[in-house]
Amino acid sequence: MSGSELASRFVSKALEMGFSDVAVLVEDVSRVMVKFANSQPSVVQRWDTSVASLYLSKNKRLYTGSVVLDRLRDLDKLLHEIGYVVDRVSESELYAPLPEPSRKAGGFSFVDTRVVESMKDPSRLAELVLEASAREHKVDFTAGKVDLWLRRKHLATSTGALLEEESTGVEVYVRSFKEDGSGQWGFSSRSLDEKKIEETALKASGLAHESRGRSPVEPGVYDVILSPLVFSQLLNVVAWMSTGLSILTGTSVFTDKRPGEQVASTLLTVWDAPRDEKLPHSTGFDDEALETYNKPIIEKGVLKNILHNSKTAAKLNARPTGNAGWVAPRAWNLVIESGDYKFDELVSEVKRGVFITNNWYTRLQNYVEGVFSTIARDAIFLVESGRIVKPLERLRIADTLPNILKNVAGLTRDTYDVMWWEVRIPTRAPYALIRNVNITKHFA
């Protein structure tokens, strides 16, 4: 019995047993990851998984969970176990019935056969990365991964939806080392682009070469150029804060804001883009069987949309936006609109500043005010009089997200499709110039 048939059978049986809302999302994933370390392929891992995510409600009491697909075959036992739990929990403050599925909701295919073929022998792509890493700059060693997948998802709901979708995806990140210098870059897509993979490796090795011989930097307020990796990571946090659940739980800088208010520089436009066929989380329907659509979260600095599922929309007197999550809404992909600058022109705008190419360990100290810190790592450079003059030791950005958003002063024309472990929402981003950013030393 197929995943769709099992999901439909589960929904029918759950309704017979008295549940009022039922949804089953079955995901069949074939995934291959090749890791490389010390400039050599180190391990190839393969997974074939079939998981059913379940959502059920009865008397405004909710259950969500996941099981391996085979457990759907023993329906009576599984549903009695779920019923035992549901009967003992409190009513949900966020209960709302599942919405009627959109008439236009439907899956659409994003399958690149080159990804599927490369999954048979992914080591070739690792060798491509390693060759490119050593082509122009002799680095000491390179590490990273190439991740390929084929995903099929099936959604059945008690409102009558039965939807299917199939897609491929690619995620690559490369980190190279040369003496005390290091550099990283990342790339993601629905399709296999060997040129982009090579460019990712070349970018990482070039940054490693250029960042040798690091110097300390004095704490202070600087103009900062953020690479697409760093800008993507910070906008991932902003996108999470733009969801209805973040606002309801008081973990958002938009808690006291309303759509239509100015929250950022007029240069900044950020889209939730589930219909962008190049970015790897694109989809035609959300987990409530509503049609997805591209929408601005921030448009020319103005807050335009809060992302909702049916529950947060009901609580905040809004409409669902095709971003469900049964519990938490989420952005699918982010697209940050480009600007007018070439990269060199952006650098020329800086009298004294810092260029940061990568970051990690972003932590919020105050969610509503957006007070955060993040550690800059890998290649960091001092910029003086419009020129990159020398590499710097590791430092930390300690500022607020509203300041970052409001102080965007320039964006490049070129954008990059980014995804790695610090950027889990695939994001298309330019380089960004941010004025007046607070920089502190990092103490390891």
Side-chain angles (χ1 to χ4, degrees):
M1 190 177 295
S2 70
S4 292
E5 291 170 330
L6 283 171
S8 296
R9 185 168 167 247
F10 180 92
V11 170
S12 298
K13 185 68 175 179
L15 291 174
E16 289 176 13
M17 293 180 65
F19 290 96
S20 53
D21 298 283
V22 188
V24 184
L25 180 64
V26 175
E27 292 187 283
D28 301 310
V29 181
S30 296
R31 180 183 172 202
V32 178
M33 180 195 301
V34 55
K35 299 177 182 177
F36 39 93
N38 296 316
S39 298
Q40 296 181 19
S42 59
V43 63
V44 177
Q45 295 172 279
R46 298 179 181 272
W47 299 267
D48 288 291
T49 58
S50 294
V51 175
S53 298
L54 311 176
Y55 171 85
L56 301 98
S57 74
K58 180 191 292 186
N59 300 323
K60 298 184 179 180
R61 295 173 168 87
L62 306 181
Y63 172 90
T64 61
S66 297
V67 297
V68 295
L69 192 61
D70 282 347
R71 287 219 63 196
L72 290 188
R73 302 180 193 281
D74 192 354
L75 285 180
D76 288 339
K77 182 179 179 181
L78 177 58
L79 284 167
H80 276 104
E81 290 174 357
I82 294 171
Y84 180 85
V85 173
V86 170
D87 288 341
R88 284 159 178 77
V89 300
S90 301
E91 290 185 8
S92 171
E93 295 182 13
L94 285 178
Y95 172 76
L98 286 174
E100 290 297 316
S102 300
R103 293 180 180 178
K104 295 181 180 179
F108 43 96
S109 179
F110 301 96
V111 174
D112 180 358
T113 57
R114 294 171 298 177
V115 174
V116 179
E117 286 300 311
S118 293
M119 290 172 67
K120 299 175 184 177
D121 181 20
S123 59
R124 182 185 65 83
L125 295 178
E127 291 166 1
L128 178 69
V129 168
L130 296 172
E131 186 278 327
S133 295
R135 186 183 305 160
E136 296 182 13
H137 302 99
K138 184 174 175 56
V139 297
D140 295 335
F141 60 93
T142 292
K145 75 163 187 176
V146 176
D147 201 347
L148 310 171
W149 64 86
L150 172 66
R151 177 180 286 111
R152 299 178 181 90
K153 69 175 185 177
H154 320 266
L155 177 65
T157 72
S158 53
T159 55
L162 186 59
L163 303 170
E164 297 185 11
E165 196 167 78
E166 187 175 32
S167 60
T168 50
V170 178
E171 179 185 352
V172 179
Y173 61 81
V174 184
R175 195 177 186 208
S176 292
F177 300 83
K178 177 66 175 179
E179 299 169 10
D180 68 334
S182 62
Q184 180 172 309
W185 208 254
F187 167 70
S188 68
S189 180
R190 278 285 183 213
S191 59
L192 189 67
D193 187 330
E194 294 190 4
K195 183 178 179 181
K196 291 287 187 182
I197 294 174
E198 285 185 292
E199 289 174 356
T200 299
L202 288 167
K203 198 85 171 176
S205 62
L207 290 170
H209 183 81
E210 293 162 5
S211 61
R212 295 170 299 158
R214 303 178 181 188
S215 302
V217 63
E218 288 299 315
V221 177
Y222 291 82
D223 291 342
V224 173
I225 296 174
L226 303 179
S227 79
L229 272 69
V230 184
F231 203 36
S232 292
Q233 197 279 321
L234 295 181
L235 267 295
N236 268 221
V237 178
V238 171
W240 169 72
M241 287 183 167
S242 74
T243 66
L245 188 63
S246 292
I247 289 171
L248 287 168
T249 55
T251 53
S252 170
V253 294
F254 304 128
T255 296
D256 61 349
K257 304 295 182 184
R258 297 292 181 271
E261 292 189 42
Q262 195 82 26
V263 295
S265 163
T266 57
L267 299 178
L268 184 63
T269 296
V270 183
W271 289 77
D272 168 49
R275 294 283 174 158
D276 190 303
E277 297 187 10
K278 293 184 179 179
L279 291 170
H281 285 180
S282 46
T283 183
F285 56 89
D286 72 2
D287 293 359
E288 295 179 334
L290 294 184
E291 180 186 14
T292 61
Y293 60 96
N294 295 345
K295 67 196 75 68
I297 298 171
I298 296 171
E299 186 173 34
K300 295 182 179 178
V302 174
L303 180 64
K304 296 295 287 187
N305 284 287
I306 302 300
L307 308 181
H308 288 294
N309 59 17
S310 60
K311 297 173 179 59
T312 62
K315 195 74 172 180
L316 293 172
N317 194 29
R319 296 172 62 87
T321 58
N323 292 90
W326 294 322
V327 176
R330 81 282 207 171
W332 296 104
N333 300 306
L334 295 182
V335 173
I336 305 168
E337 288 192 3
S338 59
D340 298 326
Y341 287 89
K342 295 180 180 178
F343 176 72
D344 290 344
E345 294 171 342
L346 203 66
V347 174
S348 71
E349 293 289 326
V350 179
K351 291 183 178 180
R352 181 171 173 81
V354 177
F355 170 35
I356 301 173
T357 66
N358 199 14
N359 71 311
W360 63 355
Y361 292 111
T362 299
R363 299 292 182 265
L364 274 294
Q365 287 79 50
N366 184 309
Y367 285 80
V368 174
E369 296 178 2
V371 178
F372 79 98
S373 66
T374 190
I375 300 170
R377 76 169 193 166
D378 298 315
I380 309 162
F381 302 95
L382 181 68
V383 182
E384 290 184 331
S385 301
R387 295 188 306 111
I388 295 174
V389 295
K390 64 178 179 180
L392 298 174
E393 293 177 355
R394 187 173 290 183
L395 53 83
R396 185 187 296 267
I397 299 175
D399 212 302
T400 72
L401 289 171
N403 283 348
I404 298 297
L405 296 176
K406 291 175 182 177
N407 291 332
V408 174
L411 301 167
T412 59
R413 300 171 197 165
D414 291 335
T415 58
Y416 299 81
D417 292 352
V418 174
M419 188 179 182
W420 73 291
W421 80 58
E422 292 284 349
V423 180
R424 295 321 299 161
I425 305 172
T427 304
R428 178 171 301 130
Y431 289 88
L433 170 59
I434 317 293
R435 300 288 189 191
N436 303 320
V437 178
N438 191 55
I439 297 295
T440 66
K441 289 186 176 180
H442 171 66
F443 298 96

